[in-house]
């Protein structure tokens, strides 16, 4: 086997040097404050039973056998996309193999040369990668800051012709902060300024709007050009979809390379997504009540323990305590793990240097005692 080229070795050595080397952890059996399995669906036996029932009426059992444009487009895809359009109140839905694929497929193909993409500075890596693969110019605006967006728009608008489209992109729940933009104000702004708003709903899918998404909860479906929903987080399975108009779907089927040039999801994965929505239909309100109770409990404990200033304000299942420096945040996470809590450190360069953090993901199955114990530990260790 060939040795790793020297330049790559030195990049790895740099990561070791600044304490940011990424490694693959195994499941550790600790109290889960780190997975995206917010509603506990990933381990639900009922969900796998419901999936098996759907699979019984499916002739194709295992692989998809090809891309969706060739032989991979089985009936379950049609059932799922019809369902998603109705459920998420969108004219159309197009399923992708993952949220990463959906974002690179959208942002590399939709914005054209001469167009502009204005994106929140904390936007997910998959969106950045998609933008880089395309030909539009892109500018970032300050996090959740409408006046910064307005300022950026005014700098590009002067030389703009009418042919230039401006896309504005944000997340409804930011993956590394857990906070949300003022989506109502942002959507209104985009309509007034004739911009196309795109919202990544990865961490809101299945949680807000009664098992839908945050755009639905706020009644903004008609004001948003496209939404990206994903199924690998609260929905407990895998895959993603882009919600938008019939024409947008037709365009993506024709031009989105991460949709075209890949084998489709196997029937079992598509059946699991369908089953997951069915399951939420019957058990969703109880699960969501439990999740939001835990979010409230966590926030209340933060307040009682005097930790409010360390935490980023968030009403979602993602709660983060800022701890400056890779070394420090890693050491803190290790201590919490030694005490039985799976809390992950988020290091730079995943987040900006100086904004390293402990990221707590909350679930239906976390208990009040676990929340209280882990936050008491945080208080004890940090103060
Ligand atoms: C905001 C956001 N968008 C997209 C993705 C990618 O989704 P997937 O994990 O389905 O590829 C993630 C995953 O971490 C995410 O947090």
């Amino acid at each position: 086997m060939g040795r790793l080229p020297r330049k790559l070795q030195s990049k790895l050595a740099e990561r070791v040097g600044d304490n940011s080397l990424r490694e693959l952890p195994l499941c550790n059996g600790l109290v889960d404050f780190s997975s995206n399995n917010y509603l506990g669906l990933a381990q639900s036996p009922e969900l796998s039973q419901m999936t098996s029932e759907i699979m019984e009426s499916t002739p194709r059992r295992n692989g998809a056998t090809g891309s969706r444009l060739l032989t991979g487009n089985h009936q379950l895809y049609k059932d799922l996309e019809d369902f998603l359009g109705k459920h998420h109140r969108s004219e159309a839905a197009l399923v992708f193999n993952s949220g990463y694929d959906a974002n690179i497929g959208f942002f590399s193909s939709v914005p054209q040369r001469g167009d502009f993409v204005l994106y929140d500075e904390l936007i997910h890596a998959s969106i950045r990668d998609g933008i880089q693969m395309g030909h539009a110019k892109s500018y970032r605006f300050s996090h959740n800051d409408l006046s910064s967006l307005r300022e950026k728009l005014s700098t590009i608008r002067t030389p703009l012709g009418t042919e230039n489209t401006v896309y504005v992109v944000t997340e409804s729940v930011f993956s590394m902060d857990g906070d949300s933009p003022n989506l109502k104000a942002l959507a209104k702004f985009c309509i007034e300024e004739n911009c196309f708003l795109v919202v990544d709903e990865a961490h809101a899918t299945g949680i807000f709007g009664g098992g839908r998404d945050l755009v639905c909860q706020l009644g903004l479906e008609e004001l948003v050009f496209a939404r990206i929903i994903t199924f690998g987080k609260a929905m407990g399975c895998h895959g993603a979809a882009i919600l938008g108009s019939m024409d947008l779907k037709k365009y993506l089927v024709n031009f989105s390379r991460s949709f075209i040039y890949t084998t489709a999801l196997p029937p079992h994965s598509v059946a699991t997504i369908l089953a997951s929505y069915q399951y939420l239909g019957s058990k969703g309100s109880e699960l969501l009540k439990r999740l939001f109770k835990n979010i409230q409990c966590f926030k209340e404990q933060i307040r009682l323990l005097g930790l409010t200033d360390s935490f980023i304000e968030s009403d979602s299942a993602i709660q983060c305590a800022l701890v400056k420096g890779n070394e420090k945040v890693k050491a803190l996470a290790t201590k919490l793990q030694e005490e039985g809590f799976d809390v992950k450190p988020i290091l730079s360069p995943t987040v900006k240097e100086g904004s390293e953090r402990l990221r707590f993901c909350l679930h239906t199955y976390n208990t009040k005692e676990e929340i209280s114990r882990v936050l008491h530990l945080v208080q004890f260790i940090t103060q």
Side-chain angles (χ1 to χ4, degrees):
M1 203 179 299
R3 267 162 50 92
L4 197 64
R6 202 137 28 118
K7 282 185 196 162
L8 309 194
Q9 281 181 25
S10 69
K11 284 181 88 169
L12 280 179
E14 232 172 75
R15 282 272 161 101
V16 175
D18 63 16
N19 243 310
S20 65
L21 186 71
R22 294 176 170 127
E23 288 175 296
L24 296 172
L26 284 176
C27 288
N28 52 27
L30 304 180
V31 175
D32 182 5
F33 279 114
S34 71
S35 82
N36 297 322
N37 182 26
Y38 306 119
L39 299 176
L41 300 192
Q43 69 261 28
S44 158
E46 290 106 315
L47 176 54
S48 45
Q49 179 57 35
M50 287 165 84
T51 305
S52 305
E53 283 161 20
I54 296 174
M55 284 303 289
E56 264 162 34
S57 52
T58 303
R60 204 181 278 164
R61 296 268 133 197
N62 302 316
T65 78
S67 73
R68 287 190 63 191
L69 282 163
L70 297 176
T71 56
N73 196 38
H74 39 89
Q75 176 64 31
L76 287 175
Y77 265 116
K78 181 162 173 15
D79 297 346
L80 177 60
E81 288 176 348
D82 287 350
F83 172 83
L84 291 173
K86 282 199 195 91
H87 185 72
H88 288 272
R89 301 178 192 140
S90 167
E91 199 177 292
L94 182 67
V95 170
F96 281 71
N97 288 5
S98 71
Y100 187 87
D101 282 359
N103 275 332
I104 60 167
F106 181 94
F107 287 98
S108 62
S109 68
V110 173
Q112 300 293 297
R113 197 180 297 283
D115 291 345
F116 293 91
V117 184
L118 302 181
Y119 63 91
D120 187 289
E121 63 181 335
L122 299 189
I123 210 76
H124 192 259
S126 53
I127 298 175
R128 284 172 182 262
D129 290 356
I131 294 170
Q132 273 190 5
M133 291 160 88
H135 300 290
K137 279 212 170 107
S138 61
Y139 298 94
R140 60 170 188 226
F141 57 90
S142 306
H143 181 50
N144 286 342
D145 185 344
L146 198 53
S147 56
S148 167
L149 170 62
R150 186 175 285 117
E151 193 187 310
K152 283 280 144 58
L153 185 63
S154 70
T155 62
I156 60 166
R157 265 276 151 82
T158 334
L160 261 184
T162 47
E163 290 299 299
N164 306 92
T165 306
V166 180
Y167 296 90
V168 172
V169 51
T170 190
E171 290 174 26
S172 52
V173 174
F174 276 84
S175 59
M176 290 299 155
D177 292 59
D179 59 354
S180 299
N182 182 342
L183 270 184
K184 272 192 180 162
L186 188 58
K188 186 168 171 275
F189 174 84
C190 288
I191 292 294
E192 284 166 2
E193 295 293 338
N194 198 21
C195 298
F196 289 70
L197 179 59
V198 183
V199 184
D200 181 329
E201 297 257 25
H203 293 275
T205 310
I207 292 187
F208 291 96
R212 293 180 175 84
D213 55 67
L214 193 55
V215 165
C216 270
Q217 175 160 310
L218 300 171
L220 302 174
E221 304 90 330
E222 294 297 321
L223 308 186
V224 173
F225 177 61
R227 278 171 274 166
I228 290 89
I229 55 171
T230 69
F231 311 122
K233 302 181 195 301
M235 300 307 294
C237 38
H238 193 81
I242 295 181
L243 306 174
S245 67
M246 283 292 195
D247 283 348
L248 176 64
K249 176 170 177 172
K250 200 186 292 174
Y251 180 84
L252 292 167
V253 167
N254 279 276
F255 294 101
S256 174
R257 296 171 70 83
S258 64
F259 175 84
I260 299 166
Y261 296 109
T262 188
T263 299
L265 284 177
H268 190 274
S269 296
V270 183
T272 314
I273 302 166
L274 271 166
S276 182
Y277 275 98
Q278 278 174 14
Y279 185 68
L280 267 195
S282 61
K283 292 278 167 53
S285 55
E286 185 190 318
L287 292 174
L288 290 168
K289 212 184 282 172
R290 238 188 281 160
L291 179 66
F292 282 102
K293 207 165 152 197
N294 277 347
I295 296 170
Q296 283 320 315
C297 169
F298 192 92
K299 290 181 61 138
E300 179 64 3
Q301 280 291 327
I302 290 174
R303 196 181 61 75
L304 291 174
L305 294 169
L307 294 168
T308 308
D309 288 347
S310 314
F311 275 82
I312 298 171
E313 176 60 29
S314 154
D315 292 321
S316 76
I318 302 169
Q319 302 280 332
C320 295
L322 292 166
V323 180
K324 214 170 172 176
N326 280 348
E327 207 169 321
K328 193 163 174 208
V329 74
K330 260 177 129 171
L332 277 181
T334 304
K335 281 209 182 106
L336 295 176
Q337 286 158 12
E338 282 165 2
E339 296 295 329
F341 298 101
D342 191 9
V343 179
K344 294 281 189 271
I346 307 292
L347 311 176
S348 58
T350 299
V351 291
K352 217 192 294 174
E353 206 177 320
S355 74
E356 295 81 6
R357 65 205 55 188
L358 289 172
R359 182 172 180 258
F360 297 82
C361 292
L362 304 176
H363 311 93
T364 47
Y365 47 87
N366 290 131
T367 64
K368 215 171 153 186
E369 292 67 37
E370 287 165 357
I371 291 171
S372 169
R373 269 172 47 220
V374 79
L375 286 174
H376 272 89
L377 269 169
V378 172
Q379 187 204 39
F380 180 73
I381 297 168
T382 55
Q383 294 181 352

